[in-house]
């Protein structure tokens, strides 16, 4: 939940560290700090709050040096204060840490008995003290190895030592990628921090330790045995992680959805929709001969994509599907066997609950397929096969383009599973997929109408979101978007469930946004809509283009293009994303970095 970066080379590194941290701020933004090694001396600068505070400090103090580390924090242990901000030091060692040291209390009392004096409330500070204690009679590297052997939990750590011109990096259950430059080396939590400097990366595995020097680096296991590594070249433009002319990343990401969905179909939906080539060759025999059950695990918005997946896979492939919150799945003795497929959905590929759920299911004999947006992140690397969503870097904490590209992968997977099970390719539906990007573009061109709705409704304190069938997960998603960035209370419900409780909430102060598209449940939704109006509730309907007769039943209306019912979620979600965005912007909240949240949740 924190972002880390390190640099070693010839350049004065404070700018590189700050620039990298600005790309990692989505991971945590309650405090930040850097440490720079120069002439056997380490300078630390730290501030609470957003990165701007650190910029100001660096500008005033102008620290010199070409070896440094930087950290942006999302507090777990200890309040987000300057003192608790990383880096932490003990003796000649300075460290930054992303993750949680689960046994820190035992280690802290052990270290205190040995004379260590702690200055922070964090779990991370124990790493610096362990290094200091372990360094008596040991080399720098040996002290690191001995320290790692004491740690339990999740950690990606960078270490500076006053007497060595190197950075030591090690990781277990928290992400870390090395960027290979020419005469300089980088290391960070995620590639957007490094895209400006290199396109060559080594994705570190759990249990690995890297020693970075200006002109070289070496990879080891936690016993200091050398390890082989693979350098991967990624052609991702740094511009993809820039805001461009948009006011916020979230808005840019909403407007990118036609492109990101096209990219996700590219190379998979072929010959104008006559052929589907899904890169799951490792699992195709399993799909054909053994698959009896699908279990989808995910969190947040990705879980909503999983709910859409249940409808699609059951409808098309006729395989039973369960959808579980990954955090619940792990702890409820689930029933899994070798005929089960676990589908893990995750934008970041690092969500701790989702990662642990697939590790557990794998141990119980299930096959694991992940749907992920971040190349080579932990979840794909722990899966039997992966289907990447090509959304590009998603920086706004509220997930938008990642969600619709997850839907794009899921609909292709459902069509593929049907083909594996029945030998029949649904060419009609496959062809229709290719029309999705253009239709989304059409909705986005009407974004001003959503802005007008946001201006009209932003002052309400509670909202109800309703949908049936495939639009029920979209109601949940609309409510989540509004909650997380505008801090307005919102509830998502299946429309038919309304009369079993939520209708008691309906009055003139609680508007309802209802998915009322023309599908086989339309008449029932229309009844729900009238029930709300009969109780003085205001209704905004998301309806199918051309259905003018719905106007008499609602206060406001936004039209989405006509489509096969199976594809409606691609379209109904877009106005809800825009509505949440505009309401939040009008209220003046921090849209891209809403309070208390982080983009990537690597703690349980
Ligand atoms: O990276 P993941 O998809 O695994 O993240 C899961 C959730 O943390 C994420 O979707 C979260 O709910 C978003 N903030 C929603 O906008």
């Amino acid at each position: 939940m924190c972002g880390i970066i390190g640099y070693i080379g010839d350049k004065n590194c404070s700018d590189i560290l700050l620039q990298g941290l600005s790309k990692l701020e989505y991971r945590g933004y309650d405090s930040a700090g850097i440490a720079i090694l120069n002439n056997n001396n380490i300078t630390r600068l730290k501030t609470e709050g957003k990165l701007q505070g650190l910029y100001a400090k660096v500008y005033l103090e102008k620290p010199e040096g070409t070896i440094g580390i930087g950290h942006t924090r999302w507090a777990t242990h200890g309040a987000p204060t300057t003192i608790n901000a990383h880096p932490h030091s003990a003796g000649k060692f300075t460290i930054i840490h992303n993750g949680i040291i689960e046994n820190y209390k035992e280690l802290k009392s052990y270290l205190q008995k040995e004379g260590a004096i702690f200055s922070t409330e964090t779990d991370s500070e124990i790493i610096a003290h362990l290094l200091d204690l372990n360094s008596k009679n040991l080399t720098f590297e040996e002290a690191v190895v001995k320290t790692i052997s004491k740690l339990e939990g999740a950690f990606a750590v960078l270490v500076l030592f006053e007497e060595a011109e190197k950075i030591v990096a090690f990781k277990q259950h928290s992400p870390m990628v090395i960027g290979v430059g020419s005469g300089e080396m980088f290391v960070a939590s995620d590639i957007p921090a490094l895209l400006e400097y290199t396109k060559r990366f080594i994705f570190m595995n759990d249990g690995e330790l890297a020693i970075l020097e200006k002109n070289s680096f070496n990879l080891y296991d936690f016993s200091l045995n050398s390890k082989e590594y693979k350098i991967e070249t990624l052609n991702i433009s740094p511009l993809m992680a820039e805001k461009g002319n948009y006011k916020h990343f979230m808005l840019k990401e909403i407007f990118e959805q036609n492109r990101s969905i096209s990219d996700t179909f590219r190379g998979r939906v072929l010959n104008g929709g006559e052929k589907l080539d899904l890169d799951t060759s490792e699992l195709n025999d399993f799909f054909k001969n053994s698959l009896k059950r699908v279990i989808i695990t995910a969190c947040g918005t990705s879980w909503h994509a999983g709910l859409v997946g249940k409808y699609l896979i059951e409808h098309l492939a006729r395989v039973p599907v369960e959808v579980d919150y990954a955090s619940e799945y792990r702890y409820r003795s689930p029933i899994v066997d070798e005929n089960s497929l676990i589908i893990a959905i995750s934008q970041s590929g690092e969500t701790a609950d989702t990662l642990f759920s697939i590790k557990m299911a794998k141990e119980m004999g299930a096959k694991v397929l992940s749907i992920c947006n971040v190349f080579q992140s932990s979840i794909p690397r722990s899966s039997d096969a992966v289907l990447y969503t090509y959304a590009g870097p998603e920086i706004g904490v509220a997930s938008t383009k990642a969600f619709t590209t997850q839907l794009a992968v899921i609909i292709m997977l459902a069509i593929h599973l049907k083909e594996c099970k029945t030998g029949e390719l649904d060419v009609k539906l496959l062809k229709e997929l290719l029309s999705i990007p253009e239709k989304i573009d059409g909705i986005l061109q009407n974004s001003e109408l959503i802005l007008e709705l946001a201006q009209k409704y932003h002052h309400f304190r509670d909202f109800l979101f309703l949908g049936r069938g495939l639009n029920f997960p979209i109601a949940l998603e609309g409510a989540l978007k509004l909650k997380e960035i505008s801090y307005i209370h919102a509830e998502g419900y299946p429309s038919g469930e309304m009369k079993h409780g939520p209708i008691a909430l309906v009055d003139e102060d609680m508007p309802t946004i209802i998915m009322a598209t023309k599908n086989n449940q339309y008449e029932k939704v229309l009844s729900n809509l009238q029930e709300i109006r009969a109780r003085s509730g205001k209704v905004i309907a998301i309806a199918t283009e051309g259905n003018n007769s719905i106007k008499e039943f609602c206060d406001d209306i936004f039209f989405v293009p006509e489509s096969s019912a199976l594809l409606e979620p691609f379209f109904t979600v877009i106005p809800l994303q825009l509505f949440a965005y505009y309401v939040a912007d009008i209220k003046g909240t921090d849209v891209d970095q809403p309070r208390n949240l982080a983009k990537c949740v690597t703690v349980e």
Side-chain angles (χ1 to χ4, degrees):
M1 302 283 284
C2 304
I4 61 177
I5 179 161
Y7 172 82
I8 178 162
D10 282 330
K11 300 184 183 116
N12 197 8
C13 66
S14 54
D15 286 349
I16 295 172
L17 297 178
L18 289 178
Q19 169 73 6
L21 288 179
S22 72
K23 298 290 173 345
L24 294 173
E25 216 183 359
Y26 71 91
R27 300 178 66 86
Y29 35 82
D30 61 38
S31 51
I34 59 170
I36 295 181
L37 171 65
N38 194 14
N39 291 328
N40 297 346
N41 182 43
I42 295 175
T43 306
R44 280 188 300 157
L45 299 175
K46 318 202 280 184
T47 54
E48 64 185 57
K50 292 276 179 78
L51 211 48
Q52 278 95 331
L54 188 63
Y55 286 142
K57 235 177 198 172
V58 169
Y59 180 76
L60 285 175
E61 302 203 14
K62 300 189 176 41
E64 293 278 319
T66 61
I67 305 172
I69 57 181
H71 187 272
T72 177
R73 180 167 187 246
W74 186 84
T76 57
H77 296 63
T81 58
T82 300
I83 287 191
N84 288 333
H86 298 218
H88 302 300
S89 291
K92 295 180 176 175
F93 293 91
T94 296
I95 65 103
I96 52 176
H97 167 223
N98 170 30
I100 289 184
I101 305 301
E102 286 167 2
N103 57 338
Y104 87 99
K105 282 199 177 131
E106 295 106 271
L107 290 172
K108 190 167 180 177
S109 48
Y110 159 72
L111 286 160
Q112 280 168 328
K113 278 185 203 127
E114 294 294 321
I117 295 173
F118 283 79
S119 27
T120 79
E121 300 155 313
T122 67
D123 55 334
S124 312
E125 191 186 352
I126 59 117
I127 303 172
H129 286 285
L130 276 174
L131 285 163
D132 184 36
L133 184 71
N134 292 335
S135 66
K136 317 280 182 268
N137 309 319
L138 291 181
T139 64
F140 176 20
E141 290 81 0
E142 288 166 343
V144 171
V145 167
K146 189 166 176 193
T147 298
I148 295 171
S149 72
K150 306 281 183 237
L151 303 178
E152 286 169 21
F155 45 85
V157 177
L158 300 184
V159 188
L160 289 181
F161 178 50
E162 280 180 6
E163 293 174 3
E165 300 218 324
K166 50 180 87 162
I167 298 173
V168 173
F170 56 88
K171 80 153 229 129
Q172 182 77 4
H173 305 317
S174 292
M176 183 125 81
V177 58
I178 296 172
V180 182
S182 157
E184 56 187 357
M185 296 293 299
F186 307 83
V187 58
S189 302
D190 197 358
I191 53 174
L194 308 182
L195 285 174
E196 245 175 65
Y197 311 106
T198 181
K199 296 208 175 325
R200 301 170 70 221
F201 300 101
I202 300 161
F203 293 90
M204 287 177 70
N205 292 306
D206 284 343
E208 286 182 346
L209 177 159
I211 299 180
L212 309 182
E213 295 182 71
K214 202 170 94 178
N215 288 309
S216 70
F217 68 96
N218 289 292
L219 200 67
Y220 303 92
D221 63 18
F222 284 170
S223 304
L224 272 188
N225 300 306
S226 283
K227 285 195 75 177
E228 300 279 305
Y229 53 81
K230 187 170 154 223
I231 300 182
E232 314 224 22
T233 303
L234 296 189
N235 279 318
I236 302 176
S237 147
L239 284 179
M240 291 179 82
E242 298 289 345
K243 255 197 303 227
N245 290 328
Y246 289 92
K247 185 169 177 191
H248 294 102
F249 277 110
M250 181 180 174
L251 189 61
K252 173 180 178 248
E253 288 159 3
I254 290 173
F255 273 84
E256 276 174 351
Q257 290 178 100
N258 50 355
R259 196 266 316 144
S260 59
I261 292 173
S262 298
D263 287 353
T264 303
F265 288 145
R266 185 164 302 117
R268 290 165 165 164
V269 182
L270 302 169
N271 305 349
E274 299 281 347
K275 190 176 166 205
L276 175 64
D277 187 358
L278 215 53
D279 19 348
T280 53
S281 47
E282 308 89 328
L283 292 177
N284 286 345
D285 285 343
F286 169 78
F287 291 160
K288 284 180 191 152
N289 306 318
S290 313
L291 177 63
K292 296 267 186 303
R293 230 168 116 228
V294 172
I295 299 142
I296 299 178
T297 66
C299 305
T301 286
S302 298
W303 183 77
H304 298 155
L307 289 179
V308 175
K310 175 179 166 69
Y311 283 85
L312 294 177
I313 295 171
E314 288 187 343
H315 181 83
L316 289 168
R318 307 303 299 151
V319 180
V321 183
E322 292 159 45
V323 190
D324 239 310
Y325 283 118
S327 54
E328 289 296 317
Y329 181 75
R330 287 185 63 191
Y331 295 107
R332 66 162 180 84
S333 337
I335 299 162
V336 180
D337 61 23
E338 59 285 359
N339 300 121
S340 313
L341 174 72
I342 306 291
I343 303 178
I345 307 177
S346 175
Q347 186 285 129
S348 62
E350 300 295 344
T351 300
D353 289 316
T354 311
L355 179 60
F356 288 124
S357 73
I358 61 173
K359 286 188 173 166
M360 186 182 83
K362 227 176 162 185
E363 279 166 20
M364 294 163 80
K367 292 270 185 275
V368 175
L369 170 67
S370 53
I371 296 175
C372 189
N373 194 41
V374 178
F375 184 66
Q376 284 284 6
S377 50
S378 302
I379 289 173
R381 284 195 290 156
S382 307
S383 307
D384 294 298
V386 52
L387 290 169
Y388 282 109
T389 52
Y390 293 104
E394 188 180 68
I395 308 295
V397 163
S399 190
T400 52
K401 63 177 180 170
F403 177 71
T404 45
T405 53
Q406 287 166 349
L407 298 186
V409 167
I410 288 165
I411 182 80
M412 287 189 288
L413 179 63
I415 295 172
H416 179 62
L417 289 175
K418 176 178 180 181
E419 193 184 8
C420 289
K421 289 283 178 200
T422 64
E424 188 197 321
L425 179 65
D426 195 331
V427 173
K428 185 165 176 268
L429 186 58
L430 206 52
K431 282 181 191 274
E432 197 183 341
L433 298 191
L434 297 175
S435 67
I436 294 172
E438 204 183 319
K439 286 183 176 170
I440 288 185
D441 216 18
I443 298 175
L444 292 169
Q445 280 168 22
N446 286 330
S447 62
E448 292 226 334
L449 300 177
I450 300 285
L451 173 60
E452 283 166 20
L453 290 177
Q455 282 159 342
K456 181 169 171 188
Y457 287 94
H458 72 274
H459 60 280
F460 284 95
R461 299 179 58 140
D462 305 278
F463 278 83
L464 193 57
F465 286 76
L466 299 178
R468 273 179 183 256
L470 280 152
N471 279 316
F472 161 52
I474 301 307
L476 294 176
E477 177 59 7
L480 176 63
K481 289 290 88 97
L482 191 65
K483 277 187 263 219
E484 67 181 336
I485 57 170
S486 71
Y487 318 142
I488 291 175
H489 166 242
E491 303 227 22
Y493 258 93
S495 315
E497 191 61 19
M498 186 190 65
K499 55 190 165 298
H500 299 285
I503 198 163
L505 296 169
V506 171
D507 62 13
E508 63 282 3
D509 293 326
M510 181 157 181
T512 298
I513 301 188
I514 187 163
M515 263 49 71
T517 39
K518 266 262 165 104
N519 54 36
N520 62 2
Q521 309 226 28
Y522 175 67
E523 295 302 329
K524 293 190 196 323
V525 171
L526 212 53
S527 307
N528 301 143
L529 204 148
Q530 295 180 75
E531 285 154 15
I532 298 168
R533 292 202 88 204
R535 286 155 183 86
S536 309
K538 294 195 169 36
V539 171
I540 306 168
I542 308 297
T544 307
E545 230 152 53
N547 180 13
N548 292 324
S549 60
I550 198 175
K551 282 185 182 157
E552 63 177 292
F553 303 113
C554 49
D555 296 274
D556 286 287
I557 189 160
F558 184 84
F559 288 115
V560 292
E562 200 178 344
S563 73
S564 137
L566 296 181
L567 304 188
E568 281 180 6
F570 284 97
F571 311 118
T572 47
V573 76
I574 308 286
L576 307 192
Q577 295 170 343
L578 284 166
F579 184 74
Y581 171 78
Y582 287 127
V583 168
D585 191 38
I586 291 167
K587 291 189 77 185
T589 64
D590 194 341
V591 172
D592 285 330
Q593 297 177 338
R595 68 186 183 201
N596 305 339
L597 292 174
K599 183 72 183 159
C600 180
V601 184
T602 55
V603 292
E604 278 193 77

